[in-house]
Amino acid sequence: MTEHSNPSKVVVLGGGYAGTLAANRLRTRADVDITLVNPRPEFVERIRLHQFVARTGTATLDYGTLLGEGVHLVVDTATRIDTAGRTVRLASGRTLDYDYLVYAVGSTSATPAAVPGAAELALSVAEFESARRLRARLEEVPRDAPVTVVGGGLTGIETAAELAERGRRVTLVCGRTLAPSLGAPGRRYVAKWLTRHGVTVLEGGVATEVRPDAVVLADGSADGATRPSALTVWAAGFGVPELAAASGLRTDALGRLLTDETLTSLDDDRIVAAGGGGGEGGRGPRADLPPGAVDGSADQDGQLQPRARGGGVQRRPPRRRLPDRDHRRRGHRRLRRPQPGQARRGDPSAPDQPVVAASARPQPVGATPVYTATP
C-alpha cells in the first residue's frame, strides 16, 4: 500500500480503556484513518466511579489529553453495524464507512428483572450516568441513614468501603461469599477491614426485593429477612450492549460478540473485538438457542453466571493466561518500550501488511504493548 494514498478507514466503537488504547495503538501506522465513536465527550474511568459517588475523587478525563493526533472523536452511539455495506449507523442518523472495525463497546450495568424493585429503586455504580444519579441521591439522604450495597464482588466492596469511610452506615449483601475472586487470606483481610470500618457484611444474604425504605433478603439469610435501607446500591452483575446481536452477528451466552482466539469475529474477519464486548473462544453458532433466549448477569457474590431461559448451555468465561514472566528469571534485564513506528516481529504496524489482518495479529489490537529486552 502506498503511504498516505487511500488510507484504510478504521472505526473504533467505544471510547473506554480498550477502545482508547486501540485507537492510539493504530496511530503507529501511516496508512489508516481512525475514527473513535463514543456516546460521551469525556473518557470515564469506570474503576473510579465509586470515588466519584462518594465525592472522594473524579472519574472523567478530557479526551484531548488521551487521544493522539489523528484520532477523530465522534460523540454518538452506534445502533447497527452493516457488515455487507461496511457501514455503522449512528443514533443521530449519520453513517460511517469502514474498512475495519474495532468492537470495544464494553459492558453496561444490569439489574435482574427477577428481583422486584431492583430496576426501579436501586441505583448502579457501573456507568457514569447512574453513578451521577447515585451521587446526587446520596446528598439527599441523611448521613446516619442506612445504605445497602448489593454485591459482594470487587465493585460492591469498593463502593461499601468508600461510603463507610465517608461516615455512612453501610450493609453489604454478598450473596454467597464475600470477594469470591480472592483467596482465603484475601477474603479474611477484606472482611476484617470492612468490619473495622463499621460495614455490616451479610455473606449469607441474598436480596430478593428492593423497597423504597428496605431490602428484603432470602429466608434463612443472616440477621433477619428485611433490613431498613434508605438507599440501595446495586453492584451485582453487568450486561453488554445489544449492538452485536442487533446487527446479526453471533454472540455468546452473555451477549458478547463471538470471536476466535485472535478476537476476530466469527462472522466477519474485518471486525476485531477489544475489551469486555467480545467473547473469546467461541465454539460456533448457538443453534440450540433462539434469538434473544439468553441473558447474563452475575450472582450477588460477583460470580458471572449466564442463564438460558428454557434450557441451553451455561458456561463461565474462559480463563486468560497470565503474562509470561520468564524475563524475571533471566537476570532482571532492563525493559524498554518500542519507539513509535518501530517495526516488531509480527506487529500489525510493520509495513506492507493488511490492517488488523488475522495472519498479522498474534495479539489483539489494543492489547498491552510488546516490550523488548535489552542487556
Side-chain angles (χ1 to χ4, degrees), residues 186-232:
R187 289 196 295 271
R188 286 194 296 269
Y189 177 86
V190 171
K192 290 179 180 179
W193 191 99
L194 292 172
T195 301
R196 187 167 64 250
H197 287 79
V199 178
T200 301
V201 179
L202 304 180
E203 286 199 75
V206 177
T208 58
E209 182 183 354
V210 177
R211 298 174 181 174
D213 58 354
V215 173
V216 180
L217 305 179
D219 291 340
S221 59
D223 275 1
T226 303
R227 295 185 64 88
S229 179
L231 178 61
T232 300

Side-chain angles (χ1 to χ4, degrees), residues 22-332:
N24 282 336
R25 178 71 178 273
L26 285 167
R27 288 178 57 247
T28 62
R29 301 185 62 112
D31 57 352
V32 295
D33 182 74
I34 310 161
T35 299
L36 177 68
V37 180
N38 193 66
R40 308 176 188 90
E42 293 180 308
F43 176 85
V44 175
E45 291 189 273
R46 292 181 66 181
I47 61 173
R48 300 195 182 279
L49 284 175
H50 61 286
Q51 295 174 323
F52 171 76
V53 165
R55 298 182 183 270
T56 59
T58 60
T60 57
L61 294 170
D62 181 19
Y63 273 115
T65 66
L66 298 177
L67 296 178
E69 184 178 354
V71 179
H72 311 292
L73 175 65
V74 174
V75 181
D76 212 326
T77 302
T79 58
R80 186 173 179 83
I81 302 168
D82 180 359
T83 56
R86 293 182 190 166
T87 61
V88 177
R89 185 185 308 163
L90 304 180
S92 63
R94 180 182 175 185
T95 60
L96 296 175
D97 298 328
Y98 71 85
D99 295 305
Y100 296 91
L101 185 141
V102 179
Y103 191 84
V105 296
S107 60
T108 63
S109 60
T111 50
V115 180
E120 298 82 8
L121 300 173
L123 293 173
S124 170
V125 73
E127 295 184 90
F128 182 70
E129 289 77 13
S130 57
R132 185 164 51 191
R133 292 193 295 270
L134 175 57
R135 174 178 161 127
R137 182 75 179 90
L138 272 171
E139 291 298 303
E140 303 171 358
V141 175
R143 186 163 295 274
D144 60 349
V147 176
T148 302
V149 178
V150 179
L154 298 183
T155 300
I157 291 170
E158 290 172 337
T159 303
E162 205 73 26
L163 294 178
E165 286 193 312
R166 299 288 288 174
R168 295 286 182 176
R169 292 173 49 203
V170 182
T171 297
L172 180 61
V173 179
C174 300
R176 293 188 297 268
T177 307
L178 174 69
S181 62
L182 302 181
R187 289 196 295 271
R188 286 194 296 269
Y189 177 86
V190 171
K192 290 179 180 179
W193 191 99
L194 292 172
T195 301
R196 187 167 64 250
H197 287 79
V199 178
T200 301
V201 179
L202 304 180
E203 286 199 75
V206 177
T208 58
E209 182 183 354
V210 177
R211 298 174 181 174
D213 58 354
V215 173
V216 180
L217 305 179
D219 291 340
S221 59
D223 275 1
T226 303
R227 295 185 64 88
S229 179
L231 178 61
T232 300
V233 181
W234 198 270
F238 68 90
V240 295
E242 299 179 353
L243 177 60
S247 303
L249 298 168
R250 283 179 284 178
T251 61
D252 68 5
L254 298 174
R256 300 176 299 180
L257 178 70
L258 268 182
T259 71
D260 62 17
E261 66 278 4
T262 68
L263 298 186
T264 302
S265 167
L266 295 182
D267 298 306
D268 192 332
D269 61 6
R270 289 176 176 262
I271 298 178
V272 178
E280 184 181 349
R283 298 182 181 273
R286 293 179 294 124
D288 58 320
L289 300 177
V294 177
D295 63 354
S297 66
D299 288 345
Q300 290 172 28
D301 63 359
Q303 291 294 291
L304 198 59
Q305 290 284 359
R307 292 186 295 273
R309 306 188 193 100
V313 178
Q314 300 187 20
R315 61 170 70 95
R316 293 178 183 268
R319 292 181 180 271
R320 293 183 180 272
R321 288 186 59 190
L322 294 176
D324 182 18
R325 301 181 183 276
D326 284 346
H327 65 271
R328 293 188 177 181
R329 297 189 290 271
R330 295 198 296 266
H332 297 267

